[in-house]
Amino acid sequence: MNDDTPAAPREEADPADTRDDVPYRFDRSHAVGDIVEAFEGLEAGVETETVVSVAGRLMLRRDQGRLAFGTLQDATGRIQLFATAAASPGFERFTGLSIGDWIGVRGAVMATRRGELSVRVDDWTLLARARRPFPDKWHGLTDPDTRYRQRYVDLWVSDEARDAFARRSQIVAALRRRLTDQGFVEVETPVLHPIPGGAAARPFVTRHEALDADLYLRVAPELYLKRLVVGGMERVYEIGRVFRNEGISTRHNPEFTMLELYWAYADHTDIMDLTEHLVAGVAEDVCGSTTVVYDGQNVDLAPPWRRASMEEVIAEHAGFEVSLDAGAAELAARCDSLGIETRPGWGPGKLMLEIYEKAAEPNLWGPVFVTDYPAEVSPLSRRHRSRPGHAERFEAIVAGRELCNAFSELVDPVEQRSRFEAQAALRAAGDDEAMAVDEDYLRSLEYGLPPTGGLGIGVDRLVMLLTDTQAIRDAVLFPTLRPDPGV
């Protein structure tokens, strides 16, 4: 349909539009996309004998005397509606419909004289009124805040939004399919934790009245998943929501989706191989290629990915070399030269991490595995087998941001207790992101955790990468926002 103009928004509801006038159901025979595919190329002026029943929102409408045209949209596509005063019942009511009204239509598939594939309106039913003005197709929702608060409107008026979230579903499905094919078992672990743990993050606190106890929304499922490995489940994973009581930015949302997996008898090098093949495979499944475009630049996700130590990438991008042997005073001075605020009590490992995150990570286009993290900032990682002071931990960096965190898991309950107690001391000193001592997890380790590799992938960030989305709010259907002053 050409030269469409939006119908005026309804100012008052039709008195006849009562609850009883709206049907309880509507029988559709076809999705719009199926009709478009089946009758593509129908010659202009041809009326078929195929009668269909379709339903969706009226997105555009224009009237030409005794003819009326509309665009019906469902989840699969759009198609023109063609109504005439002579043959379409309720023609005047049809021309009074507003943008956004839900209708069901029955009629023959045809092509107009201009060649527009259409459904002739032989009969129609109002399914729901849009009682608020609906944005028109051409302008959509131009205010970003409104788009996020009223996603139910944004999805209808923005093809890009619908496509991005359809792609998100495909990405998650591809992750599940590939992990299942490799023998991983999907599980579910608690969201309410008696002790916050599994990541260095400030938790959300809630109250369980029946137990008379504070509980915490999980910051990570890690400790429960590793309990399952202790229990003999050798390859497990979970895709679920995690919650961190932290700031909001273009890459951070307090509620986000994490894929975590644990693989018995594997170490961090096995997890690197798994990660690069998993991400590249999902890109191939969803995008058709292992090379994707992000923010105007190509990202080649094909294995193998570069592997470089934290010291190497700092030297490349900060312009100076650092090591844990330099000591806290020298590293604190380096932080000061970069404008990094530090706290008393930070050791060389924490200071090196701050330098890396400031001077190196944002400049890594990648993909690259940044390896050999300081053990000081890796309380759940196994110590490096050949580099004292370091852990067998890596993060995958793509387009200047962390995509995943992984390591050879710490399996020694004695050392794990020592690490927990060091974290607890930091917590007592005011670090509300530090972990607490989890006695039950320590008890599980005493039953024996075999050598294990673990991986956590930020699903939202993977979606951002594979849909060329620069803000996490555009990868999450309902991002966390400040309270709406208009509600």
Side-chain angles (χ1 to χ4, degrees):
M1 180 168 58
N2 299 316
D3 302 323
D4 295 302
T5 55
R10 188 186 318 283
E11 296 181 357
E12 295 182 0
D14 188 334
D17 178 27
T18 66
R19 186 180 301 274
D20 291 337
D21 289 328
V22 177
Y24 281 82
R25 64 189 306 275
F26 182 82
D27 287 322
R28 287 197 309 175
S29 66
H30 292 74
V32 166
D34 295 336
I35 298 171
V36 172
E37 181 179 359
F39 291 92
E40 183 180 9
L42 187 65
E43 292 185 9
V46 172
E47 294 189 9
T48 74
E49 295 182 357
T50 302
V51 176
V52 297
S53 294
V54 292
R57 280 194 190 270
L58 185 68
M59 300 303 294
L60 297 169
R61 203 199 71 240
R62 66 184 173 93
D63 307 329
Q64 293 183 345
R66 297 178 63 79
L67 300 179
F69 301 88
T71 296
L72 185 79
Q73 178 178 319
D74 69 5
T76 65
R78 296 186 178 99
I79 196 167
Q80 180 168 273
L81 303 176
F82 174 70
T84 67
S88 300
F91 179 78
E92 291 185 0
R93 289 181 61 231
F94 184 85
T95 59
L97 290 170
S98 295
I99 288 178
D101 284 348
W102 294 81
I103 60 174
V105 175
R106 182 178 182 278
V109 178
M110 57 172 289
T112 64
R113 286 181 296 176
R114 292 187 177 184
E116 185 76 20
L117 183 65
S118 307
V119 173
R120 189 179 65 217
V121 181
D122 297 337
D123 191 20
W124 68 278
T125 303
L126 178 67
L127 301 178
R129 289 191 185 278
R131 298 180 185 275
R132 289 178 177 263
F134 218 83
D136 67 79
K137 171 184 176 182
W138 309 115
H139 299 97
L141 287 177
T142 56
D143 176 39
D145 189 65
T146 303
R147 287 184 53 232
Y148 303 135
R149 293 189 187 279
Q150 300 182 27
R151 186 71 82 185
Y152 38 85
V153 179
D154 179 44
L155 290 170
W156 277 107
V157 299
S158 170
D159 292 342
E160 292 79 10
R162 286 195 312 279
D163 291 345
F165 289 109
R167 185 74 60 89
R168 179 188 177 105
S169 177
Q170 295 167 5
I171 290 167
V172 173
L175 287 169
R176 283 193 164 99
R177 182 171 57 251
R178 286 184 169 270
L179 289 174
T180 299
D181 288 347
Q182 294 184 60
F184 284 86
V185 176
E186 184 172 13
V187 298
E188 294 176 318
T189 62
V191 173
L192 293 174
H193 289 187
I195 298 172
R202 181 188 304 142
F204 287 94
V205 186
T206 188
R207 185 74 180 169
H208 193 293
E209 297 300 337
L211 294 178
D212 190 27
D214 285 339
L215 295 174
Y216 304 86
L217 293 179
R218 68 179 175 193
V219 295
E222 175 169 342
L223 302 186
Y224 282 91
L225 290 170
K226 287 193 284 193
R227 284 173 170 95
L228 297 180
V229 180
V230 171
M233 301 182 71
E234 297 178 355
R235 299 189 186 197
V236 294
Y237 79 94
E238 181 171 11
I239 298 176
R241 304 296 267 183
V242 297
F243 308 85
R244 299 183 182 178
N245 198 352
E246 300 170 344
I248 297 174
S249 71
T250 57
R251 63 181 70 179
H252 294 97
N253 193 63
E255 176 183 2
F256 60 99
T257 302
M258 180 74 77
L259 160 65
E260 287 213 17
L261 66 81
Y262 294 87
W263 180 5
Y265 317 122
D267 69 2
H268 70 301
T269 62
D270 298 305
I271 299 296
M272 285 187 204
D273 293 339
L274 172 66
T275 301
E276 62 191 5
H277 284 91
L278 179 63
V279 173
V282 170
E284 185 88 49
D285 293 343
V286 176
C287 303
S289 172
T290 57
T291 298
V292 300
V293 176
Y294 186 79
D295 199 18
Q297 299 185 58
N298 285 342
V299 182
D300 185 0
L301 299 171
W305 296 0
R306 182 191 176 198
R307 291 153 168 78
S309 71
M310 183 177 289
E311 295 99 324
E312 287 180 79
V313 296
I314 290 174
E316 290 172 6
H317 295 281
F320 54 79
E321 295 185 356
V322 297
S323 75
L324 296 180
D325 295 333
E330 180 179 331
L331 291 171
R334 290 290 192 185
C335 286
D336 187 60
S337 71
L338 294 170
I340 300 171
E341 293 186 11
T342 61
R343 295 181 184 177
W346 281 3
K350 174 63 174 174
L351 295 166
M352 180 187 288
L353 178 65
E354 293 292 321
I355 294 169
Y356 160 72
E357 291 182 343
K358 172 74 172 184
E361 183 182 83
N363 301 312
L364 297 174
W365 191 251
V368 56
F369 291 124
V370 178
T371 66
D372 299 359
Y373 270 61
E376 178 187 340
V377 293
S378 309
L380 298 169
S381 306
R382 196 164 187 174
R383 291 187 181 274
H384 201 288
R385 67 195 76 181
S386 61
R387 299 198 64 196
H390 294 266
E392 294 197 346
R393 173 186 171 192
F394 70 85
E395 288 187 357
I397 308 300
V398 185
R401 65 190 59 177
E402 172 196 345
L403 181 65
C404 79
N405 183 29
F407 32 84
S408 300
E409 301 297 328
L410 179 56
V411 299
D412 181 354
V414 175
E415 184 174 356
Q416 183 65 80
R417 178 177 292 278
S418 176
R419 302 265 195 101
F420 274 159
E421 289 174 349
Q423 287 281 303
L426 292 173
R427 192 176 186 84
D431 185 351
D432 53 9
E433 293 187 355
M435 298 182 199
V437 178
D438 188 331
E439 291 290 351
D440 181 71
Y441 178 66
L442 291 170
R443 179 171 58 188
S444 75
L445 292 185
E446 290 170 354
Y447 282 95
L449 175 66
T452 298
L455 167 68
I457 294 178
V459 173
D460 306 304
R461 291 189 181 179
L462 180 60
V463 171
M464 291 171 66
L465 175 65
L466 299 185
T467 61
D468 193 16
T469 298
Q470 278 65 56
I472 195 170
R473 289 182 175 184
D474 293 313
V476 176
L477 277 168
F478 297 102
T480 304
L481 304 169
R482 295 183 183 278
D484 187 350
V487 174

